[in-house]
Amino acid sequence: MPAVTVDNVLALPRIPEDLGTGRKVLAVETAPSGFEGEGFPVRKALATIKPSYLDPFIMMDQMGEVDYAPGEPKGTPWHPHRGFETVTYMIDGVFEHSDSHGGGGTITNGDTQWMTAGSGILHIETPPEWLVTQGGLFHGIQLWVNLPAKDKMLDPKYQDIGRDNVKLLSSHDGGALVRLIAGDVAGFNGPGSTFTPITLIHASVSPGAELTMPWRKDFNALAYVLSGKGTAGRDKAALSAGQLAVFEGFGNRPGLATEAETITVTASGKQGLEVIILGGQPIGEPVAHYGPFVMNTRAELVQAFEDYQSGRFGSIPAGH
């Protein structure tokens, strides 16, 4: 059960019912499983998707869902980033973070940490000591959002988006709870501030219910199922846990369906659907991606490695 919920979804502002033409689904892919950091389990939601469908997104991992036994919780060691933003959304559980610029904090149970790595930062994410000792539930996502060339060398910064600040909405009939973390839907705005225009949503769709939302014509659209089973798009493409649907639209099939105005996901009649819905305005620039660096050219990647090795990303704080 996601930490952020409401007793009466019908008391929330509602997304209008009559929204126009819906987008079809171009592809449905299953996310491969793997491990990150010190060994926590992930599903790599975007790993098998054509890069042309993803711009401006680079990567998204579903972290867990896992119920750790005592001694099992794991995090990541110190590591660098440059040239993009990391978005860590904790659905359930706790993560602590520290960085080479003196930042730090805790994200838990519906909180989001939005880190603009920009010109370069050293960063660590770990479970708190009490969680390592006791064990407990851990579930979230981490999304990497590319930055355009003009913003890649910005000074690093954070946005801590507390769960109480997330914009909560209802579908027109109360069948879905929409958590709007960033961007806008039907005139409602999420709290996240983005350099690259995007929309990020976590929706809970009740069994048999449908969620239809207006979508910017210049945005691509992706829907990743955290749990449950249902369909996506006006063509009702089947979708289940660990799968991602790519909707048609601007940038991923030129000239086709740029008039599309809505996207739809529907839960099966027997189980609900927990789904991450995201989309953004394609940057349309070359991408040179290697490990923790996302730049525009190979020369910029080489420079990033040299700067990291020379200590230009800052130093690990005393006590770490």
Side-chain angles (χ1 to χ4, degrees):
M1 171 69 72
V4 176
T5 187
V6 293
D7 293 330
N8 180 13
V9 69
L10 291 172
L12 298 173
R14 300 194 196 187
I15 296 169
E17 179 178 8
D18 186 12
L19 299 167
T21 305
R23 297 189 187 188
K24 294 180 180 179
V25 168
L26 291 179
V28 173
E29 300 288 346
T30 300
S33 298
F35 295 91
E36 287 290 342
E38 296 170 335
F40 58 85
V42 299
R43 297 200 73 161
K44 306 192 80 61
L46 308 185
T48 60
I49 309 300
K50 292 180 182 179
S52 60
Y53 291 173
L54 298 180
D55 187 11
F57 306 109
I58 301 296
M59 183 202 82
M60 187 172 77
D61 285 347
Q62 179 185 5
M63 306 180 295
E65 182 176 8
V66 58
D67 196 356
Y68 283 120
E72 287 185 343
K74 299 175 177 67
T76 67
W78 284 94
H79 57 281
H81 289 306
R82 173 180 279 183
F84 65 103
E85 298 184 286
T86 68
V87 182
T88 305
Y89 168 52
M90 290 303 301
I91 299 168
D92 289 292
V94 187
F95 238 11
E96 293 181 341
H97 62 94
S98 300
D99 69 57
S100 54
H101 290 254
T106 300
I107 47 175
T108 181
N109 292 343
D111 296 338
T112 299
Q113 178 209 78
W114 204 295
M115 184 180 79
T116 304
S119 61
I121 197 167
L122 302 179
H123 181 67
I124 188 172
E125 296 160 306
T126 57
E129 187 174 344
W130 64 262
L131 182 61
V132 176
T133 302
Q134 299 177 16
L137 187 61
F138 178 78
H139 190 204
I141 66 160
Q142 186 169 96
L143 173 70
W144 290 14
V145 185
N146 199 9
L147 287 169
K150 66 182 180 64
D151 294 328
K152 283 193 178 293
M153 298 301 286
L154 290 167
D155 290 338
K157 73 167 194 173
Y158 282 103
Q159 298 173 70
D160 287 315
I161 303 171
R163 56 191 175 276
D164 293 337
N165 294 321
V166 172
K167 183 66 177 179
L168 300 181
L169 304 171
S170 167
S171 57
H172 75 277
D173 59 359
L177 168 62
V178 174
R179 304 166 189 84
L180 179 58
I181 298 169
D184 61 273
V185 169
F188 301 102
N189 296 303
S193 174
T194 71
F195 287 97
T196 305
I198 73 166
T199 295
L200 175 60
I201 286 166
H202 171 201
S204 298
V205 188
S206 301
E210 178 179 285
L211 170 62
T212 298
M213 297 182 296
W215 209 250
R216 278 181 51 166
K217 293 179 182 180
D218 58 342
F219 274 25
N220 60 9
L222 310 166
Y224 175 74
V225 179
L226 298 165
S227 65
K229 185 179 292 186
T231 65
R234 72 172 189 254
D235 44 347
K236 302 292 184 183
L239 199 60
S240 59
Q243 291 188 315
L244 181 131
V246 180
F247 291 85
E248 67 184 357
F250 183 87
N252 57 29
R253 188 173 287 184
L256 178 66
T258 53
E259 82 285 353
E261 297 177 350
T262 66
I263 59 171
T264 296
V265 292
T266 305
S268 74
K270 295 184 178 180
Q271 54 183 305
L273 198 65
E274 295 291 335
V275 59
I276 297 291
I277 301 171
L278 66 157
Q281 188 177 65
I283 296 172
E285 296 176 351
V287 175
H289 173 206
Y290 190 86
F293 306 127
V294 182
M295 306 304 293
N296 293 104
T297 67
R298 184 180 183 280
E300 291 171 342
L301 282 180
V302 171
Q303 186 63 57
F305 274 101
E306 290 178 354
D307 289 347
Y308 166 54
Q309 292 168 345
S310 300
R312 296 190 183 101
F313 284 23
S315 347
I316 295 174
H320 288 268

